[in-house]
Amino acid sequence: ELFAMFFNSVTNGGKTTLAEKLKNMLPNCDIISQDDFFKPESEVETDERGFKLYDVLDALYMDEMVTSIRNWMKSPASSGVVTEEPENTCDNLKNVYILIVEGFLLYNYEPLNELWNRRYFLTLPYEECKRRRSTRVYQPADRPGYFDGHVWPMYLKYKKELEENASMQVDYLDGTKSQEELLSCVYSDIIQELNKLRE
C-alpha cells in the first residue's frame, strides 16, 4: 500500500526539517526533494535586474521529478527505502510505503496533482521568512534585494494561485509553530488518513 504526502512551503518554512523528522518516525518512508531538480546556474534565466530566477518552475527539471516520483511508486521496495520499523509502530502503518515529497513549487504543476494522498503548505509571515532566509548561505549567494525583488513576490504569486484554485485541497500549517507541534499535528493526520484508507 502506498501513501504519498506533499509538503510545500515558503523558503525556510521548515518543510525539510519536518520531512526528515517524519521519516524517522514512520516505517518504509522515503523523501524526494524538489531542490534536487534545480537546473544548473547557467540554464536559469536572469531578469533585467540581474536576478537569477530560481523561484519559478522553469528553473527546475519538473518532468524528471515527476518521473522519479512515479518510479518510486512503481517499486518502493527497490528504492533503497529503509524497511526497519521504528519502535511502537502502530498496526495501521505496517505493510505501507510512505513517500514524502517536499518543495516550494509543488502545487502549481499539473502533473503532480494526481499523485498525492495529503497536501500541506507551511506558511510564514514576511518578517520571519526574511529573517530565516538571511541566516542561510545559498549557492549562488543571494544578491542584495533578491528576497524582496524575486523570492517573496514569487511566493505570494504562487500562494494566490493556489488559494484561487477551488479544487485544490491543501492543509495550511503555521510555520512559526514549534517543530514538535507541527510534527505532532501531521503525524496524527497521517494515522487518521491511513485508518480511513483501511476502512
Side-chain angles (χ1 to χ4, degrees):
E1 190 171 358
L2 298 176
F3 185 87
M5 68 185 108
F6 285 21
F7 283 103
N8 200 103
S9 99
V10 64
T11 178
N12 295 281
K15 62 191 172 300
T16 307
T17 307
L18 190 58
E20 290 289 350
K21 287 186 174 180
L22 275 169
K23 182 181 177 181
N24 292 333
M25 290 174 70
L26 298 165
N28 306 331
C29 185
D30 214 350
I31 297 174
I32 289 178
S33 173
Q34 192 172 35
D35 284 357
D36 294 336
F37 297 91
F38 272 114
K39 293 177 180 176
E41 189 181 351
S42 60
E43 290 182 37
V44 176
E45 277 189 60
T46 305
D47 72 4
E48 67 281 355
R49 299 163 299 179
F51 291 155
K52 282 281 181 185
L53 303 182
Y54 276 105
D55 287 53
V56 298
L57 286 167
D58 283 347
L60 296 142
Y61 293 119
M62 290 302 295
D63 51 345
E64 287 185 18
M65 183 176 183
V66 172
T67 300
S68 291
I69 294 169
R70 288 189 185 282
N71 286 343
W72 190 96
M73 289 177 153
K74 276 183 210 160
S75 185
S78 64
S79 65
V81 62
V82 176
T83 53
E84 289 176 21
E85 293 184 353
E87 287 179 37
N88 306 321
T89 296
C90 75
D91 288 341
N92 275 352
L93 287 178
K94 288 177 178 168
N95 306 315
V96 63
Y97 284 92
I98 298 169
L99 178 64
I100 299 172
V101 180
E102 60 99 356
F104 66 106
L105 278 179
L106 297 176
Y107 306 148
N108 309 75
Y109 188 67
E110 197 67 37
L112 287 175
N113 287 346
E114 64 200 54
L115 301 175
W116 58 276
N117 293 93
R118 198 87 173 160
R119 279 191 285 217
Y120 298 94
F121 195 116
L122 279 147
T123 62
L124 279 180
Y126 167 82
E127 290 294 346
E128 175 61 13
C129 186
K130 189 171 185 176
R131 185 194 68 75
R132 290 188 191 182
R133 177 94 182 189
S134 70
T135 66
R136 296 274 292 275
V137 177
Y138 290 89
Q139 288 297 332
D142 281 358
R143 294 179 51 150
Y146 186 67
F147 180 84
D148 288 313
H150 176 61
V151 176
W152 188 254
M154 285 298 99
Y155 162 65
L156 294 180
K157 173 180 180 285
Y158 284 115
K159 187 166 177 279
K160 183 168 182 277
E161 284 176 13
L162 181 60
E163 289 166 344
E164 288 172 353
N165 184 346
S167 66
M168 190 74 75
Q169 290 175 281
V170 177
D171 288 300
Y172 289 90
L173 300 172
D174 179 356
T176 62
K177 288 186 174 174
S178 71
Q179 280 290 327
E180 290 69 29
E181 201 172 343
L182 290 168
L183 192 61
S184 173
C185 168
V186 174
Y187 185 78
S188 298
D189 264 4
I190 295 163
I191 301 301
Q192 285 180 4
E193 204 69 22
L194 287 165
N195 283 337
K196 283 184 205 164
L197 286 174
R198 301 228 158 144
E199 281 171 5

